[in-house]
Amino acid sequence: MAILDLIFGNENNKKLKPYYENLKKVNALADQIKTLSDEELKAKTVQFKEQLKTGKTLDEILPEAFAVAREAADRTLKERPYDVQIIGGMVIHKNNIAEMRTGEGKTLVATLPVYLNALTEKGVHVVTVNDYLARRDAVWMGQIYSFLGLSVGIINQDGSYLYDPDHTEKDKERDDAGSYHIIHEFLRPVTRKEAYAADITYGTNSEFGFDYLRDNIEYEVANLRQRTPYFAIIDEIDSILIDEARTPLIISAPSTEAENLYVVFAGIAEKLEKENDYTIDEKFKTIRLTDAGITKAEKILGIENLYTEKGIKYVHHLETAVRAKALYNADKEYVVKDGQIVIVDEFTGRMQPSRRWSGGLHQAVEAKEGLNVQQESRTYASVSYQNYFKMYERLAGMTGTAETSSEEFYKVYRLDTIVIPTNKNIQRLDQHDLIFQTERGKFQAITKKIKELNQKGQPVLIGTVSIEKNELLSEFLKKENIEHGILNAKNHEQEAEIIARAGKKGMVTIATNMAGRGVDIKLGGVPFDAEKFEEVKNAGGLYVLGTERHEARRIDNQLRGRSGRQGDPGETQFFVSLEDSLMRIFATDTIKNMMGRFGIPEDEPIQNSLISKSIESAQNKIEGFNFDSRKHLLEYDNVLNTQRVSIYGRRRKILEGHRESLDEELQEIIVTGGDKIKTVIDEKISSTGEVEFYEVLRRMLLQTIDNFWVDHLETMDYIRSSVNLRAYGQRDPLVEYKKEGLILFRNLEAAIAQQIIAILPNVGQGAFVKEEEKLKEVVKNAKLITNNGEVKNNSVETGENKIGRNEKVALIKDGQEIEVKNKKVDQYLAEGWKMKK
C-alpha cells in the first residue's frame, strides 16, 4: 500500500504506525463483510453489544465494527471510507485529535468511532459549531446509523429531534445535493430527554453545556435531560476548545437590585483621554487607569477617594466604561442594529444577535452608544467550556487545524494531536506573503490581482478580519465593476450557500475570517458538474487571498485549507501591510523603516524573509499570550469548578430523593443544631407523616442550596475582581482567591444548615405545602448567556422556580406583624419572630 511509504520516522508518523497494523485487520475483513445481506449486516450491531456485555473490549471488536460501518456507509451513502479515513477514525477512538485537511471527509470519518462507542449504550455526543451542521450531519450520517439499528438525536436551540427516515416535512427546503440548505426533513420533534436517550446525539457545544446547567437547577427528576457524560467527539475542536475556551455559559435572571450607573460612567469615560488618563495594552487587550484618570473621575463624581468611599462597585463601573470606550469598536467587535448592540464573533465574523457580554460590559457599550441600557442579570448557574467537556469520561476531536495548538490541547485537555495523511497528494501552491507599506496600497494591489484572476475565470475567495475591512474591499471592487458576493456578519443567514458557490467559474467571494466552516467548496459549484469542474481546474482551481494575517496561525491555515481539497489544484497568498494591526503592534522599527528607505510605491510589494519571519514571530508571541490568558482563566475557574462539582453532586443526590442521602443531610443538620433540632424533626415526622416530611425536606434543601449558591457565585465574582489589587502588596492573586473561596464555601455549607434549622421549627402541620408555594418565585424570565454572555430568550425549562432574595416575607411576634426581605429572615427568626402562616 502506497500509504505505508509515508512512514519514515518523523514523530507524527511514529504515532501513526500502530494504527496501520489495525488498518490491515479492518481491510482483511472487507470481503467477508461485503458478502453479508442487509439483514445480516444489521444483525452485527446486536452481536457486538452482546460481545461487550460478555467481557470483550471496544478495542477487540474495533476491526470488525469499523469494517461493518464502512460497508454500511458504502450501501447507504455510496461513499466508502478511504484507508486514511479509517486511520482517522481509530485516532479519534483512542481519545486523540485527528487533524485532517479540509475536504478529507471528517464528517464521514466520525461515523466509525461514533458507531463503535455507541455500542456501549452509554450515549455518544457529536459536537458541532452550529445548529445547521448538527441537523445536516445527523440527517446525512443518520442513514448509516439507522441502517445499523442505532437511534440518532439532535439538539438545537429551537428544538430537539430524532432522525426518522419515515418522517417528512414537505414545507421545509432541501436541495438535491443536500450540501448546504437547512435540512428539517427526516427530523421528528421529540423532547430533549428523548433526544439525549438516543444512542448518538448531535448538537452544539453551547446547547450541550446549557442542558447540563438546566439539569442542575431542576426540581423534578422526570425533567432531567442528560445522562452521565460518556464520550464526546468535537468537530472543529480548535474553534470550540481554544477559540471559545474563555466563553462562560451562564444561566441568569434579571436582577431586582440593578442600579443604572452605566450612563453616568459612560459620560465620565468620554471625558478621559488616552495616555493621560488611561493606557491600552493592545497585546493583552486590557486598559489601565492612571492616577490622573482616577483623580479626574473622582472630581466629576464629587468624591475624594473612589476606592474607599464607593468601593469595588464604582471602580468596576469606571473600568468597564473605559474598556467599552477603548477596546470595543462599532463594526468590529459589534454593530448597532435596530437600536441594539449586536456582538460580532471575533473568529467567524458572524453577528450573534442572541449574545450579550457579561460583567456589565454590554450595558457599558449600550450607554456609550446612547442606547437604552438593559437590566442587569444575576447568575444562577455557570460553567466554562473547558470544565464542561472535561466532565466527559472520554473526549476526542477532529479539525483541519490543530497542530499549531497541540501543546495547549495536551496540557489543558490531555489530548494528543495526530496529523492524518491526505488521501491524494496536495497540489495547492502556498505562495510567500506580499508585503506593502500602506493598507491603501495593499487594497489597490488586491483589487488589481482579483481583476486579473477574474478575467481568466478563476474563482477567488478573499478572507478579511473584520466587517469594516470586508466592506472597504467591496468598495474597491465596485469601483472596478468586479461582481462579487459578500459574506460577513450582516448576511450570515446565507453563509453556507455562499461558501458552497465560491468554487464556480469567475466567482469572487469576500468572507469575514472563516465563516461557513463545515461546508466544502467544490470546483465548478454544486451540484457537481464534470464539465464545469474541468473548466475551473484548468483555470487554476480556487485562489484563496488573505487580506491580513490573523493573530493565530490556525485561522490563516483554515483560510488556506479551503483551496486544494482532495488533490484539486489551487493557490493561496496573503497580502500584508505594515499598517495591519499585527504588524503595527509587533513589527520592529527596523522593518518599519526598511520599506521607507527603499522608496517603494505603496501598491508595490516586496517579499522579504526578515519580514516574513517577523510575522511568524509575532503570531507565535500572540498565540503564547492567548494560551497564557486561557490558562490563567482556567486556573481561576478550576477553583469555582471544584465547588460547583461538590454542590451539583450534593444537589443531584437530594433531587433523586434517595432516603440515605436525605438522612445524611438530616444528620448534618442535627450535628449543627444539637439535640433541640432532633426533637423538632421527630415531632414534624410524627405530625406530618414520614413521606410528606421527607418530600418537603428535599424541596427545602434544594431551594436553600440554590438561593445560597446564587449569592455565593456573585460574591466569588466580586472576590475575583478585587484580588488582583493584592498583587500590589506582593501577594499572589490566585492564592488569595483560593483562600477566600475556601472560606466562603465553608460558610456556604454552614449557612445552608442554619437556614434549614431556622425554618423547620416554624412550620406546623400541613404548612409544608404552603411553604412550598413560597419557594416558587424567581427564574420565570431567566435568560441564557454565553461568550461573556449569550442571552437566549427562551425561559429556563424548570418545573420549579426560586424565591427571590429580595422578596418580602411576613413575620409575626407577640401580636406584631412586619414584612422583611427574604435575605434578612434568618436574622429575625433568631430573634424569636415566626413566619406568618
Side-chain angles (χ1 to χ4, degrees):
M1 185 181 297
I3 283 175
L4 294 176
D5 296 335
L6 293 170
I7 304 177
F8 52 84
N10 70 34
E11 189 60 35
N12 189 73
N13 285 335
K14 286 178 184 176
K15 293 177 185 177
L16 282 171
K17 195 168 184 177
Y19 295 105
Y20 284 101
E21 295 304 313
N22 245 355
L23 175 63
K24 292 176 183 176
K25 296 177 184 177
V26 176
N27 287 337
L29 292 164
D31 291 339
Q32 175 190 332
I33 297 297
K34 205 168 191 63
T35 62
L36 300 177
S37 66
D38 285 355
E39 292 307 315
E40 289 172 327
L41 194 62
K42 291 176 185 178
K44 283 291 181 182
T45 298
V46 177
Q47 294 172 25
F48 291 143
K49 288 181 179 180
E50 289 302 317
Q51 288 173 3
L52 291 174
K53 288 173 183 175
T54 55
K56 278 204 170 185
T57 66
L58 289 174
D59 287 345
E60 287 174 323
I61 67 170
L62 183 148
E64 189 175 7
F66 270 41
V68 165
R70 176 191 249 180
E71 181 63 24
D74 196 11
R75 295 189 190 186
T76 56
L77 305 182
K78 309 304 178 192
E79 293 184 18
R80 187 174 183 80
Y82 305 121
D83 284 357
V84 288
Q85 290 177 305
I86 296 291
I87 295 289
M90 289 189 286
V91 164
I92 291 169
H93 165 69
K94 296 299 284 186
N95 304 336
N96 299 302
I97 297 172
E99 179 178 297
M100 302 185 73
R101 293 251 185 175
T102 299
E104 290 295 303
K106 291 185 288 291
T107 307
L108 183 61
V109 167
T111 62
L112 302 162
V114 165
Y115 172 68
L116 175 63
N117 285 273
L119 297 170
T120 63
E121 300 183 322
K122 294 180 181 179
V124 176
H125 292 173
V126 183
V127 186
T128 66
V129 293
N130 59 49
D131 282 349
Y132 157 70
L133 289 176
R135 288 195 304 274
R136 186 202 71 175
D137 294 355
V139 169
W140 189 6
M141 300 298 124
Q143 298 171 75
I144 300 172
Y145 305 129
S146 180
F147 178 83
L148 291 172
L150 297 179
S151 56
V152 183
I154 300 94
I155 300 293
N156 272 188
Q157 179 184 333
D158 59 357
S160 45
Y161 313 89
L162 280 177
Y163 171 75
D164 183 347
D166 298 321
H167 181 79
T168 58
E169 290 192 14
K170 297 298 182 185
D171 59 322
K172 302 294 183 182
E173 59 183 11
R174 177 178 181 165
D175 71 330
D176 293 336
S179 60
Y180 53 79
H181 278 163
I182 296 172
I183 297 169
H184 282 88
E185 204 171 9
F186 311 123
L187 298 181
R188 176 162 53 83
V190 295
T191 65
R192 237 142 162 98
K193 188 168 188 174
E194 289 175 299
Y196 278 114
D199 297 305
I200 302 148
T201 305
Y202 282 79
T204 61
N205 48 323
S206 59
E207 287 307 308
F208 282 127
F210 278 138
D211 281 339
Y212 162 74
L213 294 178
R214 289 176 181 125
D215 278 357
N216 283 289
I217 56 172
E218 272 297 352
Y219 285 83
E220 298 291 344
V221 174
N223 293 335
L224 295 178
R225 302 155 189 79
Q226 294 182 339
R227 295 188 273 174
T228 302
Y230 168 57
F231 188 31
I233 297 175
I234 305 178
D235 193 10
E236 309 291 6
I237 193 169
D238 55 325
S239 175
I240 292 172
L241 290 191
I242 291 184
D243 294 341
E244 297 192 52
R246 289 174 284 190
T247 299
L249 292 167
I250 302 170
I251 291 184
S252 70
S255 171
T256 54
E257 293 184 331
E259 187 177 354
N260 191 3
L261 294 171
Y262 296 103
V263 175
V264 173
F265 280 94
I268 294 174
E270 188 60 33
K271 294 173 184 175
L272 300 185
E273 299 173 0
K274 184 180 175 182
E275 300 305 333
N276 288 332
D277 301 321
Y278 64 89
T279 58
I280 301 174
D281 189 325
E282 293 193 76
K283 292 182 182 180
F284 293 98
K285 296 182 180 175
T286 58
I287 62 98
R288 184 167 182 173
L289 292 165
T290 64
D291 289 341
I294 294 168
T295 301
K296 186 181 286 188
E298 287 169 341
K299 284 182 179 178
I300 295 171
L301 290 167
I303 59 177
E304 286 190 16
N305 191 318
L306 183 66
Y307 288 85
T308 58
E309 289 187 42
K310 294 297 182 179
I312 195 70
K313 188 171 188 177
Y314 271 43
V315 176
H316 171 72
H317 271 287
L318 179 59
E319 290 182 344
T320 303
V322 177
R323 281 179 65 214
K325 173 188 176 182
L327 299 174
Y328 291 80
N329 306 294
D331 285 339
K332 188 175 181 184
E333 283 78 21
Y334 66 89
V335 295
V336 179
K337 184 178 181 183
D338 301 326
Q340 303 284 328
I341 296 297
V342 183
I343 296 173
V344 174
D345 188 288
E346 102 180 80
F347 303 106
T348 65
R350 301 187 187 107
M351 274 200 298
Q352 304 288 344
S354 57
R355 290 187 179 182
R356 285 181 67 80
W357 290 301
S358 63
L361 177 60
H362 209 95
Q363 289 90 342
V365 175
E366 287 171 334
K368 180 185 96 169
E369 292 288 347
L371 305 174
N372 288 331
V373 178
Q374 296 189 25
Q375 194 175 16
E376 285 187 270
S377 299
R378 294 194 75 208
T379 298
Y380 281 81
S382 69
V383 70
S384 68
Y385 283 129
Q386 291 166 314
N387 275 315
Y388 171 68
F389 283 110
K390 283 166 129 188
M391 294 177 194
Y392 280 83
E393 183 180 328
R394 301 184 57 214
L395 186 65
M398 53 190 181
T399 181
T401 47
E403 192 177 22
T404 56
S405 298
S406 58
E407 180 187 3
E408 181 168 355
F409 278 125
Y410 188 76
K411 285 185 175 178
V412 176
Y413 304 101
R414 286 291 178 261
L415 293 173
D416 209 358
T417 301
I418 300 178
V419 181
I420 310 300
T422 55
N423 182 51
K424 295 180 180 178
N425 292 333
I426 298 169
Q427 302 296 321
R428 188 183 74 219
L429 299 174
D430 293 330
Q431 304 289 6
H432 292 299
D433 293 359
L434 296 179
I435 300 109
F436 298 81
Q437 189 165 341
T438 67
E439 183 179 69
R440 181 184 167 189
K442 177 182 72 173
F443 276 120
Q444 289 173 342
I446 287 172
T447 305
K448 183 179 178 182
K449 181 67 175 179
I450 292 170
K451 190 170 187 178
E452 171 194 322
L453 296 168
N454 189 241
Q455 286 173 346
K456 69 171 185 173
Q458 187 170 6
V460 186
L461 175 67
I462 306 126
T464 64
V465 298
S466 68
I467 302 170
E468 179 189 8
K469 299 296 168 62
N470 194 313
E471 295 178 341
L472 177 62
L473 179 58
S474 178
E475 290 302 316
F476 273 88
L477 297 185
K478 284 176 184 175
K479 288 177 183 177
E480 293 295 324
N481 296 316
I482 300 172
E483 288 189 20
H484 58 280
I486 301 177
L487 176 59
N488 64 25
K490 293 185 177 177
N491 65 353
H492 68 278
E493 291 87 353
Q494 298 90 30
E495 70 174 46
E497 184 170 352
I498 293 172
I499 284 291
R501 290 175 177 171
K504 289 177 68 176
K505 181 181 178 181
M507 184 67 74
V508 177
T509 307
I510 308 175
T512 311
N513 276 337
M514 221 33 262
R517 285 184 78 164
V519 181
D520 272 353
I521 299 176
K522 297 179 181 177
L523 299 189
V526 289
F528 177 76
D529 183 295
E531 186 176 336
K532 291 178 180 177
F533 171 79
E534 287 299 324
E535 277 188 311
V536 174
K537 184 178 177 182
N538 293 334
L542 180 67
Y543 189 102
V544 168
L545 192 156
T547 60
E548 196 169 326
R549 281 287 194 168
H550 195 272
E551 289 184 352
R553 288 170 293 169
R554 288 183 303 100
I555 309 297
D556 291 343
N557 291 339
Q558 287 165 16
L559 182 59
R560 285 195 193 277
R562 304 315 293 252
S563 176
R565 63 179 295 280
Q566 285 291 328
D568 290 345
E571 189 173 349
T572 71
Q573 188 156 47
F574 280 85
F575 285 57
V576 179
S577 87
L578 294 183
E579 292 179 348
D580 294 348
S581 60
L582 186 73
M583 295 300 290
R584 181 171 49 80
I585 298 169
F586 288 93
T588 64
D589 290 335
T590 304
I591 291 170
K592 291 176 181 176
N593 294 332
M594 181 189 301
M595 294 187 75
R597 287 201 308 271
F598 289 164
I600 299 169
E602 64 176 358
D603 62 344
E604 288 293 324
I606 65 167
Q607 287 181 308
N608 183 283
S609 59
L610 180 62
I611 297 180
S612 297
K613 286 177 182 176
S614 176
I615 293 172
E616 188 175 337
S617 175
Q619 288 179 310
N620 277 324
K621 284 179 185 176
I622 297 174
E623 287 168 1
F625 292 147
N626 290 337
F627 179 16
D628 289 342
S629 174
R630 288 187 289 266
K631 186 180 176 184
H632 180 71
L633 287 170
L634 181 61
E635 287 172 338
Y636 277 88
D637 192 57
N638 282 340
V639 177
L640 192 58
N641 192 58
T642 302
Q643 299 175 359
R644 180 190 298 115
V645 170
S646 174
I647 283 289
Y648 284 177
R650 177 182 179 184
R651 197 184 185 284
R652 179 58 68 94
K653 286 182 180 178
I654 295 169
L655 176 64
E656 292 173 348
H658 298 307
R659 180 65 177 269
E660 308 82 52
S661 300
L662 293 173
D663 281 335
E664 286 177 16
E665 293 289 338
L666 275 180
Q667 192 57 44
E668 287 294 321
I669 292 167
I670 290 169
V671 169
T672 305
D675 294 336
K676 185 177 179 181
I677 197 65
K678 186 178 186 309
T679 303
V680 171
I681 291 169
D682 290 339
E683 287 174 357
K684 298 303 176 188
I685 292 175
S686 175
S687 61
T688 64
E690 197 172 81
V691 174
E692 184 182 359
F693 173 81
Y694 275 99
E695 174 58 20
V696 177
L697 173 68
R698 181 174 69 86
R699 290 183 176 272
M700 288 174 67
L701 281 165
L702 290 174
Q703 292 289 350
T704 304
I705 288 171
D706 287 345
N707 285 333
F708 280 100
W709 180 242
V710 170
D711 284 334
H712 180 75
L713 288 175
E714 193 170 82
T715 306
M716 289 291 285
D717 193 43
Y718 277 118
I719 292 295
R720 184 167 173 174
S721 299
S722 65
V723 292
N724 290 324
L725 298 173
R726 301 182 193 182
Y728 294 110
Q730 305 303 310
R731 289 184 288 176
D732 186 333
L734 180 60
V735 172
E736 294 293 304
Y737 183 68
K738 287 179 178 177
K739 283 181 183 176
E740 297 225 11
L742 181 59
I743 293 169
L744 286 169
F745 191 67
R746 285 174 177 167
N747 291 342
L748 165 71
E749 293 177 313
I752 290 169
Q754 290 294 340
Q755 176 84 335
I756 299 298
I757 290 169
I759 293 173
L760 274 175
N762 297 288
V763 180
Q765 184 174 1
F768 279 93
V769 177
K770 293 180 184 177
E771 189 65 25
E772 172 68 3
E773 292 303 316
K774 288 182 182 178
L775 297 174
K776 294 180 179 179
E777 214 23 67
V778 172
V779 187
K780 288 178 183 174
N781 300 312
K783 295 179 180 178
L784 304 180
I785 305 182
T786 185
N787 201 27
N788 290 335
E790 178 171 351
V791 174
K792 307 203 174 176
N793 292 322
N794 55 316
S795 60
V796 178
E797 303 168 33
T798 53
E800 304 296 332
N801 297 310
K802 304 174 186 174
I803 188 164
R805 69 173 190 163
N806 289 318
E807 181 177 325
K808 290 186 177 179
V809 177
L811 299 178
I812 191 166
K813 178 183 178 184
D814 300 329
Q816 183 184 357
E817 185 175 326
I818 61 171
E819 283 191 343
V820 299
K821 286 186 177 179
N822 181 50
K823 62 182 179 181
K824 294 184 177 179
V825 168
D826 287 357
Q827 174 187 332
Y828 281 87
L829 291 175
E831 295 172 3
W833 291 83
K834 297 183 183 297
M835 286 189 180
K836 186 179 179 183
K837 298 183 175 60

